[in-house]
Amino acid sequence: MGDIKQSTEQHTQVKNSAGLPCSYELIDRLLRFPTMSETSNLELIEFIESQFQRHGIATHRTYSDDGQRANLFATVPAEDGEMSGGVLLSGHTDVVPVEGQPWDTDPFTPTIKDGKVYARGGADMKSFIGVALWLLPQVIEAKLAEPIHFAFTYDEELGCLGAPRMIEEFGQRGIKPRYAIVGEPTLMNIVVAHKAPQRGRLTFRGVPKHSSLAPFGINAVRYAGEFIHFFNGLVDDLRDNGPRVEGFNITYTTGGVNFAQGGSAYNIVADQCVLEYDFRIVPGTEPEELAERIRTFLREDIEPALKDEVARVRSLGGADEKALGKVGVDFEVLARVPALNTSTDAPIVKFAEELGAVLDGGGESTHVSYGTEGGQYYEAGIPAIVCGPGSISQAHTENEWVELSQIEACERFMIEILNKSKA
């Protein structure tokens, strides 16, 4: 895809010649890439990269293990060549799937109606990326006192999987932004804190048998059920006795086993069952402690019980030793996103307020239960907030939309970032 050319004059206009936000052409192009998580985003990354390359700005990619998805990081340096400090503008390129959702329009063909843009990713969060790219030519032309950084990531929707590789890479090059602004949809309000998501998977392996011969088999679903019972008790304990953090709409850690898949038929003893759980952990609680409580339960309760089952089946005679050798349970933490816990009095909050963003202004709450890459910047020692166009209530829904007025508000916010960064 070719470059989208922009003039300096466009940046000073309220709307373009079609009466749309000046950044809309770029946003429209981005929304047409079906970059669902775990699918390739490389075509979109190439398009974004071209916007930097035509200005002679170096870009840096870091890839997923399979090489099919990439992060992109770029820095427009200060006039004196300084590459560290300054503001980082961060957005994820992936979107959630649309399967099973009753859309009224093609989710990857942006549709404007009644002052809103309908498309997957309109709110979450390609509008922010489009506005950042729209700002780029003016950033290039400006004499900057400090650099402006651009970061675009992959697989955020799967647990912020891409950002850590990018953060490590630019850290190794000695680049440490002064502030990070993550453009998730907040109605351009300032979010200072979010919980720490943790996603885990357990795979239970048993021995299949015809259900009429159930004593000669080991039912994986049974032991998966025992884990679910344990997990629900753990979540209840966190609710009743765990720490609480005021400011969140749900002040305690929550969780659930939200995916279960096991067995093959009603009359076959299930030889496998896979569970996936989700925690949303309040700041101040160590996520690894919860993972360790799961490991302890598996080690002290499930694994001994499965060993007893193996011995019982073997004692019946005629056991399939190959099948018995596979009995067990595997546990892996698939994603861990650190909490964001910026103080409302932090300099980055004051900085954003000076740019026109609002703290607790009736839009998004200052404390949210979902996770973002802001927690990863925060953990890396980069002060971070979340602030972007659109509402989180529209994210992941059918007929996802963002108001054009929100895009315009984001444009004004970006221009103020640039003005603050000038020499």
Side-chain angles (χ1 to χ4, degrees), residues 90-92 153-154 156 160 163 182 194 371-378:
S90 178
H92 63 81
T153 59
Y154 69 86
E156 187 272 350
C160 301
V182 179
H194 64 62
T372 78
E373 292 164 341
Q376 293 167 321
Y377 294 118
Y378 180 82

Side-chain angles (χ1 to χ4, degrees), residues 14-29:
V14 177
K15 298 180 186 295
N16 65 18
S17 59
L20 297 171
C22 293
S23 59
Y24 182 73
E25 186 179 357
L26 276 158
I27 293 170
D28 179 89
R29 292 286 289 274

Side-chain angles (χ1 to χ4, degrees), residues 74-400:
T75 297
V76 179
E79 188 178 21
D80 63 2
E82 179 61 51
M83 299 283 282
S84 202
V87 178
L88 169 69
L89 304 175
S90 178
H92 63 81
T93 64
D94 61 317
V95 297
V96 296
V98 299
E99 284 78 10
Q101 294 185 339
W103 282 71
D104 296 331
T105 59
D106 182 341
F108 296 106
T109 302
T111 302
I112 298 175
K113 182 180 179 182
D114 299 328
K116 301 172 182 176
V117 183
Y118 292 85
R120 171 59 84 227
D124 188 16
M125 57 174 296
K126 290 181 178 178
S127 291
F128 179 86
I129 296 174
V131 175
L133 293 178
W134 163 80
L135 187 71
L136 176 61
Q138 192 168 347
V139 174
I140 300 296
E141 294 168 6
K143 294 181 178 180
L144 298 179
E146 55 183 1
I148 294 180
H149 312 274
F150 299 81
F152 309 108
T153 59
Y154 69 86
D155 284 356
E156 187 272 350
E157 298 291 3
L158 297 181
C160 301
L161 302 183
R165 294 187 176 190
M166 180 190 64
I167 293 170
E168 179 182 10
E169 187 269 341
F170 69 65
Q172 289 173 347
R173 291 190 288 113
I175 293 177
K176 185 175 182 180
R178 180 164 61 100
Y179 298 137
I181 298 174
V182 179
E184 296 279 2
T186 68
L187 292 172
M188 296 308 299
N189 281 235
I190 300 169
V191 168
V192 298
H194 64 62
K195 294 183 179 181
Q198 184 186 110
R199 173 188 169 210
R201 176 187 294 148
L202 298 99
T203 302
F204 296 81
R205 300 182 308 279
V207 175
K209 280 292 178 182
H210 191 286
S211 61
S212 65
L213 300 173
F216 294 88
I218 298 175
N219 193 327
V221 169
R222 169 186 171 179
Y223 290 93
E226 292 190 12
F227 174 80
I228 292 173
H229 179 73
F230 156 79
F231 191 91
N232 289 340
L234 173 57
V235 170
D236 289 347
D237 180 61
L238 292 168
R239 178 196 63 205
D240 297 337
N241 304 306
R244 292 176 177 261
V245 178
E246 296 304 319
F248 289 97
N249 62 332
I250 302 173
T251 59
Y252 49 87
T253 295
T254 62
V257 177
N258 299 318
F259 173 85
Q261 187 176 67
S264 56
Y266 81 96
N267 57 357
I268 302 175
V269 174
D271 66 332
Q272 181 168 290
C273 187
V274 178
L275 306 178
E276 291 191 10
Y277 72 80
D278 170 84
F279 278 128
R280 302 292 165 147
I281 305 166
V282 294
T285 298
E286 176 51 55
E288 180 56 29
E289 290 181 6
L290 300 185
E292 186 57 34
R293 289 177 71 172
I294 290 173
R295 294 188 189 98
T296 298
F297 173 74
L298 296 177
R299 182 173 61 250
E300 296 182 356
D301 291 77
I302 296 296
E303 290 176 356
L306 287 172
K307 288 180 180 179
D308 289 345
E309 283 274 58
V310 169
R312 178 189 59 78
V313 171
R314 188 175 283 127
S315 70
L316 296 175
D320 183 340
E321 289 297 329
K322 183 177 180 180
L324 288 176
K326 295 179 179 179
V327 171
V329 57
D330 295 325
F331 169 51
E332 55 183 327
V333 175
L334 298 177
R336 171 193 167 274
V337 181
L340 174 64
N341 197 22
T342 301
S343 168
T344 55
D345 295 326
I348 186 175
V349 175
K350 303 304 179 185
F351 174 80
E353 287 184 305
E354 291 173 1
L355 303 177
V358 179
L359 182 68
D360 198 18
E364 185 61 83
S365 169
T366 59
H367 293 60
V368 297
S369 294
Y370 58 83
T372 78
E373 292 164 341
Q376 293 167 321
Y377 294 118
Y378 180 82
E379 186 178 58
I382 302 170
I385 60 168
V386 184
C387 183
S391 170
I392 195 64
S393 64
Q394 296 303 319
H396 301 190
T397 64
E398 69 272 11
N399 300 320
E400 178 182 347

